[in-house]
Amino acid sequence: MVKASPLVGTATPVGVLARISTVVAAEAGRSSRFASALSRAVRVPDLAASEEPGKAKRPSNRRKPCPFDLFALYAEGQEHGLRARLAALGLEDLRDIVAEHGMDTDRLAMKWKDPQRVVERIVERVMERSWKGSAFR
């Protein structure tokens, strides 16, 4: 039988825990069934092995990233160059851009059906963000 340390008091919570662990260790030494149940109970599952190897880490509801840099395009061609590039995209692609850059703070743009209206929102937000801090330049 395993003896508790003489430094551990018997009336303290540490002493009670020491006595319980002594009894559990003694029973695990006598019963192989209890020992195997105890080892299964304290085993930490390997999280890396539980994941499927071909499973993607990102959820499937993620939107596609923007195919180009809006702010660089605005800096090069100003508003007209950005509008021309956005006009070639479909409604879902425009919504992807709005979602990626957080341009729908009032939660309206994702509901709009007119692509031109979404283009207006994107251009408006890009212009605002490009000029933000211009007083310090």
Side-chain angles (χ1 to χ4, degrees):
M1 184 167 173
V2 180
K3 292 185 179 180
S5 170
L7 300 175
V8 178
T10 58
T12 64
V14 175
V16 172
L17 187 58
R19 287 194 312 272
I20 290 172
S21 62
T22 302
V23 171
V24 169
E27 184 62 29
R30 281 184 293 220
S31 171
S32 62
R33 183 174 165 201
F34 181 73
S36 64
L38 187 61
S39 68
R40 280 193 310 270
V42 297
R43 185 177 307 141
V44 177
D46 187 15
L47 297 177
S50 66
E51 292 181 9
E52 296 176 21
K55 191 173 182 182
K57 292 182 182 178
R58 289 182 142 183
S60 61
N61 61 350
R62 299 282 296 216
R63 291 190 165 271
K64 295 183 297 188
C66 184
F68 49 87
D69 185 8
L70 299 171
F71 300 96
L73 193 60
Y74 177 74
E76 290 172 6
Q78 293 297 325
E79 186 178 341
H80 302 292
L82 181 60
R83 282 185 194 278
R85 188 76 185 263
L86 291 172
L89 299 175
L91 182 60
E92 281 304 311
D93 294 329
L94 294 171
R95 287 179 178 164
D96 291 342
I97 293 171
V98 168
E100 179 183 359
H101 292 283
M103 297 178 173
D104 194 18
T105 56
D106 54 3
R107 299 183 186 253
L108 292 174
M110 296 301 269
K111 299 175 187 175
W112 293 338
K113 306 289 185 209
D114 182 23
Q116 189 57 35
R117 196 170 178 188
V118 180
V119 167
E120 290 295 324
R121 169 63 63 100
I122 294 170
V123 171
E124 173 187 313
R125 296 292 192 236
V126 168
M127 288 171 50
E128 285 175 1
R129 291 178 185 176
S130 294
W131 283 100
K132 186 174 184 175
S134 63
F136 302 106
R137 293 182 194 155

